[in-house]
Amino acid sequence: MRTTVVIAKSPTPGRVKTRLCPPLTFEQAAEIAAAALADTLDVVARLTGRKVIALDGEPCDWFPDCFDIVDQGQGTLNDRLGHVFAGLAGPAVLVAMDTPQLTGAAIERAHAVLGHHEVVLGPTDDGGYWLVGAGRHHSQLFANVTMSTANTLAEQLQQTERLG
């Protein structure tokens, strides 16, 4: 069964979008995070297949019932991505909680690509990626990749090539 995952932090003041503070308060930043997460969950909730929130923090009472909630694990983003994918069976596509360009059609295309390829990435203009999908879950998929840099996508592509 295919799975769509949203990796998220619980929208708690002082834990999310803190780079916006100031000029925002922690409460205002948390409201923005909650709105972004709600928009993302709304898109994913309409898809077929298993839907998962890989959560850092406590679940909100407004999360849609159609989602399974799993823990992200600990460590770096690489560690947490690896942990999330390792806990899934079958092909999976993962997006972040605040992906404003997200559409159901884009996720459907990513799932379709996994029917013919082992990995799918949604590149961004800043050198990273907004979506990652894997047909099988290799424990080293995110190893040797420096996250949140202008070279993240290139390093991720190199790592997938190293893994075959």
Side-chain angles (χ1 to χ4, degrees):
M1 174 194 305
R2 74 182 202 168
T3 301
T4 305
V5 180
V6 176
I7 191 166
K9 283 185 180 179
S10 185
T12 304
R15 294 194 69 234
V16 291
K17 302 290 184 199
T18 56
R19 68 186 175 279
L20 299 176
C21 304
L24 300 182
T25 66
F26 289 137
E27 291 75 17
Q28 290 169 326
E31 288 175 16
I32 289 172
L37 178 56
D39 288 347
T40 300
L41 296 179
D42 183 55
V43 170
V44 174
R46 297 178 192 168
L47 301 173
T48 61
R50 182 177 183 215
K51 298 167 230 2
V52 173
I53 301 171
L55 188 63
D56 175 3
E58 294 299 315
C60 297
D61 59 2
W62 51 265
F63 285 173
D65 291 337
C66 62
F67 284 86
D68 296 329
I69 299 174
V70 301
D71 185 71
Q72 286 182 20
Q74 301 296 313
T76 65
L77 179 56
N78 305 60
D79 296 333
R80 291 179 285 131
L81 288 170
H83 175 81
V84 170
F85 274 96
L88 301 172
V93 170
L94 180 142
V95 297
M97 66 184 271
D98 54 355
T99 309
Q101 75 277 15
L102 187 66
T103 65
I107 295 173
E108 293 291 349
R109 279 193 303 276
H111 280 293
V113 167
L114 289 179
H116 307 286
H117 300 281
E118 286 296 319
V119 174
V120 60
L121 296 162
T124 58
D125 292 339
D126 66 0
Y129 53 87
W130 63 272
L131 173 148
V132 58
R136 60 186 167 101
H137 310 301
H138 195 285
S139 63
Q140 297 297 306
L141 184 59
F142 301 101
N144 305 311
V145 178
T146 308
M147 295 294 178
S148 302
T149 73
N151 296 318
T152 300
L153 177 63
E155 290 181 22
Q156 187 66 70
L157 291 169
Q158 290 171 349
Q159 181 65 0
T160 59
E161 288 175 13
R162 279 191 289 270
L163 295 172

